[in-house]
Amino acid sequence: MKTINTFSIIEHQAFSKEDLKEIFKEKAEIFYKELEDFAKNNESLLGFKSKNTLKAKNYVGIIQTKSGVLEILPKCMAEDKLSSECKEKSKEDTNSKYDKEKLKKCYKLDNIFKNDDFSKEDLKNDPSILLINMLKTLKNSPFKKSQISSLQIAKMPLFEVFITMFLDEFDSVYKKGLMRSYVSSEENRTFLKGKLLFNEHIKSNLIHKERFFTSSDEFVLDIAPNRLIKSTLNFLKSKTSSNKFKIIKAMQMLDEVEFSKNYEKDFSFKISRHFDYYENILSWCKVFLQNQSFAPYKGKKEAFALLFPMEKLFENYVAYMFKLANPSENIKTQSSGKYLISKNDEKCFMLKPDLYIENKMILDTKWKIPDDSEDEKKHGISQSDLYQMFAYANKYEIKEIYLIYPLCERTFDLREKLKTKDIKFLAQGFLKACDEHVKLKVFFAPLPF
């Protein structure tokens, strides 16, 4: 079976036509040109570093063209470590890392600076496993219910993982029962079935006495949700190698179902509560057929992209873990209502910290790899981030504020330096009704490897 070549990079990594040649051989130039065309229409998703070099942005996921797939993964490891060996993990490597209860313990508010449960070895793993496990924590997304294992993820290109998740969902729907519905059918038949439509019968069968023009209700599979599923299967059939046989088999199960001719109309179909198990697979259909993902793209139909802004993904994941670990706390996400300034009695510049625990603390997520090599005193914290936290402290009258960075192989050593330190800055005369110092703490959030 013909395989679809995949080139893997991490966020913000640059690559040229030459870099593609090892995998794509003589097709490298064609594939690079297709990616260039995609970048010209979507520079916020894939950009140009120079005339002959493309560069990933802060989006992770896949871009597929006619000639191959570009896989963009989270920057949890250095570029030189992203290699084929990521996909060669043993069962022990890929199944023993993700311990939800262990992670949950780390996010308890009274414990976040006391635990030392993760070693550097724990953080060495396939970044595609990290991405899928983070996607599973998203609300109202088709990833949430997926039972795909780390072992499966580690052995497959990312696009094949997404297709496998869709097919697993189809298997689940099929086992619970494909939806049927009564559809009115009018037909000139050779036998009497249903209700005789007298006027139509006279017009059509004045000569053909052996026929009956009737109307009947048929209990059929050919309804909007099933048409959308079959159309999605057909869309994916040409985009996969390892899942092609499963897709053909699934399409055979829907043999009496037509393809959707109007996606918008078919997606408006109202599903009864008896078939609410269809909701997740129809969310997948929207992703593949209508590009209803985190990052809509423009361009030719030959390209397909499924991309996610990594900052939002990290923010959602951290919020999910804090809420899971602290169910009694009222943790608000993107809390608004405070403004930086008032101009002519009009409020301007709304402040929206990522996480706010009323009268206790403010937490702001930063999907960054802090670099303290230039100025060790700053611990890699940017000046703009510090100004932002200063504004939060003032307007929310909070004395403890937290910057949250990812705990991964690239941040482990800095975490070791900072885990016993409080970073303090003077706020006297700035923080309302408070003469104390405001404490800034840095928390390195463990990730679901």
Side-chain angles (χ1 to χ4, degrees):
M1 184 179 289
K2 183 181 176 183
T3 59
I4 299 172
N5 288 331
T6 300
F7 183 67
S8 298
I9 59 174
I10 63 172
E11 297 167 80
H12 305 292
Q13 183 176 340
F15 63 96
S16 66
K17 193 187 309 174
E18 292 299 314
D19 297 319
L20 300 175
K21 285 186 176 177
E22 183 180 349
I23 295 173
F24 287 85
K25 307 292 190 290
E26 68 278 359
K27 279 193 173 183
E29 189 167 343
I30 299 170
F31 182 49
Y32 186 82
K33 178 66 170 60
E34 290 167 350
L35 291 174
E36 267 192 332
D37 290 341
F38 180 88
K40 285 172 185 174
N41 291 309
N42 302 278
E43 285 201 55
S44 63
L45 306 177
L46 181 67
F48 292 85
K49 184 180 180 182
S50 63
K51 186 179 179 182
N52 298 307
T53 306
L54 290 168
K55 186 178 181 180
K57 296 292 184 77
N58 59 315
Y59 287 83
V60 293
I62 59 101
I63 301 170
Q64 188 187 43
T65 69
K66 276 185 174 180
S67 305
V69 179
L70 177 67
E71 185 176 274
I72 308 169
L73 299 169
K75 58 184 178 188
C76 55
M77 60 165 59
E79 289 180 20
D80 58 357
K81 292 191 177 183
L82 183 64
S83 64
S84 59
E85 65 189 36
C86 283
K87 299 290 180 187
E88 302 296 330
K89 297 288 182 184
S90 67
K91 185 172 182 178
E92 291 74 26
D93 285 333
T94 55
N95 277 355
S96 62
K97 302 284 183 178
Y98 186 20
D99 186 334
K100 196 169 185 178
E101 288 305 311
K102 187 177 175 180
L103 280 172
K104 185 177 169 182
K105 178 184 172 185
C106 297
Y107 284 86
K108 288 187 179 294
L109 291 175
D110 58 357
N111 190 55
I112 58 176
F113 294 106
K114 296 175 186 174
N115 75 81
D116 241 346
D117 291 346
F118 290 88
S119 69
K120 201 165 189 175
E121 286 302 309
D122 290 327
L123 309 177
K124 293 179 179 178
N125 213 318
D126 188 337
S128 58
I129 294 175
L130 167 65
L131 174 57
I132 296 299
N133 284 337
M134 290 180 82
L135 288 171
K136 286 180 182 181
T137 66
L138 290 176
K139 284 183 179 178
N140 305 318
S141 79
F143 309 97
K144 196 171 180 68
K145 295 182 180 179
S146 175
Q147 298 300 312
I148 192 166
S149 70
S150 294
L151 180 60
Q152 287 176 284
I153 297 166
K155 288 185 173 182
M156 289 187 282
L158 195 56
F159 196 15
E160 295 291 356
V161 172
F162 293 138
I163 294 172
T164 299
M165 292 169 85
F166 173 77
L167 290 172
D168 287 348
E169 189 64 35
F170 175 77
D171 285 344
S172 175
V173 167
Y174 186 78
K175 286 172 184 174
K176 290 174 182 175
L178 290 174
M179 193 191 313
R180 290 177 179 267
S181 185
Y182 284 103
V183 175
S184 180
S185 173
E186 295 182 2
E187 191 176 340
N188 200 15
R189 299 181 169 100
T190 57
F191 54 92
L192 186 61
K193 181 181 180 181
K195 179 183 177 183
L196 181 69
L197 300 177
F198 191 75
N199 290 337
E200 286 79 0
H201 175 70
I202 296 297
K203 289 177 187 176
S204 303
N205 299 322
L206 198 58
I207 299 173
H208 298 284
K209 304 291 185 183
E210 77 283 2
R211 292 182 178 273
F212 305 90
F213 203 105
T214 63
S215 171
S216 62
D217 289 334
E218 307 284 341
F219 196 49
V220 298
L221 271 178
D222 189 17
I223 58 175
N226 294 333
R227 287 195 291 269
L228 291 166
I229 293 170
K230 188 169 182 178
S231 296
T232 305
L233 289 165
N234 191 53
F235 170 77
L236 294 174
K237 187 172 68 172
S238 63
K239 298 184 178 298
T240 180
S241 53
S242 60
N243 278 302
K244 193 178 287 289
F245 176 76
K246 285 184 178 180
I247 288 176
I248 292 170
K249 187 177 177 183
M251 289 179 72
Q252 288 172 346
M253 295 174 187
L254 297 169
D255 190 48
E256 62 188 88
V257 178
E258 299 292 328
F259 294 118
S260 175
K261 295 175 182 175
N262 187 329
Y263 295 159
E264 191 171 341
K265 181 182 176 183
D266 284 349
F267 275 120
S268 68
F269 184 94
K270 300 296 181 187
I271 294 185
S272 71
R273 59 184 178 84
H274 301 294
F275 293 96
D276 57 2
Y277 56 83
Y278 258 73
E279 288 178 3
N280 210 51
I281 196 166
L282 291 177
S283 293
W284 272 114
C285 293
K286 286 179 180 178
V287 168
F288 290 122
L289 297 179
Q290 290 192 321
N291 184 31
Q292 288 198 14
S293 61
F294 275 59
Y297 60 93
K298 301 173 185 175
K300 299 176 182 177
K301 290 183 179 179
E302 288 85 353
F304 172 79
L306 186 51
L307 297 166
F308 309 87
M310 199 60 215
E311 287 91 347
K312 290 297 296 179
L313 196 53
F314 181 56
E315 178 190 318
N316 275 285
Y317 164 73
V318 170
Y320 169 85
M321 289 306 302
F322 270 114
K323 288 180 178 181
L324 184 70
N326 305 279
S328 62
E329 296 285 354
N330 182 19
I331 301 175
K332 299 177 181 178
T333 56
Q334 288 288 307
S335 177
S336 59
K338 304 287 184 182
Y339 293 81
L340 192 59
I341 62 171
S342 292
K343 181 181 178 184
N344 299 328
D345 294 326
E346 290 186 8
K347 294 175 179 178
C348 301
F349 303 107
M350 181 185 287
L351 296 173
K352 294 176 74 173
D354 294 335
L355 295 166
Y356 172 55
I357 305 173
E358 195 166 0
N359 300 323
K360 284 189 178 181
M361 61 182 70
I362 283 175
L363 308 99
D364 222 49
T365 58
K366 303 293 178 187
W367 180 254
K368 295 179 180 179
I369 307 297
D371 181 9
D372 66 342
S373 59
E374 289 186 13
D375 189 341
E376 198 168 330
K377 290 185 295 184
K378 295 180 180 178
H379 306 295
I381 298 171
S382 74
Q383 190 163 307
S384 60
D385 288 344
L386 196 59
Y387 286 162
Q388 183 184 34
M389 301 308 286
F390 225 149
Y392 290 156
N394 178 46
K395 289 295 180 179
Y396 284 84
E397 299 184 38
I398 294 290
K399 290 186 285 184
E400 286 197 22
I401 51 180
Y402 295 77
L403 276 173
I404 302 177
Y405 296 106
L407 177 60
C408 60
E409 191 179 356
R410 294 176 65 187
T411 60
F412 183 84
D413 292 338
L414 183 59
R415 196 280 296 260
E416 292 301 293
K417 284 184 191 178
L418 294 181
K419 66 183 179 182
T420 58
K421 295 182 180 180
D422 285 347
I423 303 168
K424 300 178 182 179
F425 54 86
L426 187 63
Q428 289 168 318
F430 180 75
L431 191 63
K432 297 173 184 175
C434 178
D435 291 327
E436 299 178 32
H437 290 173
V438 172
K439 287 184 181 178
L440 170 66
K441 290 191 175 185
V442 178
F443 172 54
F444 289 89
L447 303 174
F449 283 107

